Amino acid sequence: MDTIRVTVWGEYRHEKSNPKVAEVYPDGMHNAIAAGLREGPGLTVTTATLDEPEHGLTEAKLAETDVLIWWGHRAHDEVSDEIVERVRQRVLDGMGLIVLHSGHFSKIFKVLMGSTCNLKWREADERERIWVVEPGHPIAAGIDDHFEIEREEMYGERFDIPQPETVVFISWFQGGEVFRSGCCYTRGKGRIFYFRPGHETYPTYYHPQVKRVIANAVRWAAQPPSPAVFFGNYKPLETIVPSNG
Ligand code: ZN
């Protein structure tokens, strides 16, 4: 791939109704995430939001998206089932998907996981310490053995997800909980990464290590087109001679 085409999808509702969020993300969280990605080479970054026609995720838009980033929270139910199915099909066909923070409860993540994706949470302005548990994994490139976010929302285990193929990060919170905060999956040909940080009232998406992880995840999730896979009734490759008796 010459360039990886990234679409950052944002719900873009908190920013319009909560002055505290608008102060942190005056142009919307999706634009802050997109700006972080544009700092690095090799990515062509665009955005889409819930209130655009077809949530900004038309067939044409998805066809030219190599990796989709998803941030949603309070309006998960307003995402149409038709668009969710369209995104799911693109993932199965090889599009990468990066689900951020409260996206754990999005329709698209739940349908791809097949579980409730429920968890514990608390808003108490506490420190999050994120540990790299798979050093050498491409999503952890350039990250020391841990980094800290001074104030974040707490997410705690149990996180009701299927066993990840790889857990890249585990978070610790000041209140004592831990959380699998960087989880890799494959569904069909598509690579999926869940990354925990990013509560809307905190400037998390300006944090250098958070930006680095998201950019790394984009590069990990992007894959060149691969050959079609055949399913179904299949002719034998050589003549099958029935054995006697
Ligand atoms: Zn949150």
Side-chain angles (χ1 to χ4, degrees), residues 108-119:
I108 185 62
F109 191 61
K110 288 197 290 186
V111 74
L112 286 165
M113 294 299 107
S115 60
T116 69
C117 301
N118 215 336
L119 46 77

Side-chain angles (χ1 to χ4, degrees), residues 71 73 101-102 121 123 152-153 155 196 198-201:
W71 193 99
H73 180 221
H101 188 61
S102 41
W121 62 276
E123 286 183 58
E152 251 293 354
E153 179 182 15
Y155 278 6
R196 195 217 77 84
H199 187 65
E200 64 272 9
T201 55

Side-chain angles (χ1 to χ4, degrees), residues 5-58:
R5 300 163 300 176
V6 188
T7 300
V8 181
W9 189 89
E11 185 180 278
Y12 197 29
R13 288 283 179 83
H14 293 276
E15 299 94 321
K16 292 188 249 183
S17 61
N18 183 344
K20 202 173 157 190
V21 180
E23 195 180 317
V24 181
Y25 296 107
D27 298 321
M29 302 177 78
H30 54 293
N31 277 317
I33 295 163
L37 289 170
R38 289 187 187 112
E39 290 172 8
L43 308 180
T44 302
V45 187
T46 58
T47 64
T49 55
L50 178 65
D51 291 328
E52 293 171 38
E54 302 183 55
H55 311 322
L57 300 175
T58 60

Side-chain angles (χ1 to χ4, degrees), residues 168-227:
V168 183
F169 303 107
I170 289 180
S171 288
W172 166 94
F173 294 88
Q174 247 176 317
E177 294 82 2
V178 294
F179 191 79
R180 289 168 289 172
S181 55
C183 301
C184 300
Y185 296 92
T186 310
R187 293 291 184 269
K189 294 180 184 176
R191 288 181 171 181
I192 300 167
F193 183 64
Y194 174 80
F195 189 44
R196 195 217 77 84
H199 187 65
E200 64 272 9
T201 55
Y202 300 117
T204 298
Y205 294 121
Y206 303 114
H207 189 293
Q209 277 88 20
V210 169
K211 290 196 289 187
R212 178 69 193 257
V213 168
I214 294 172
N216 287 345
V218 163
R219 293 188 171 86
W220 170 83
Q223 299 179 90
S226 59

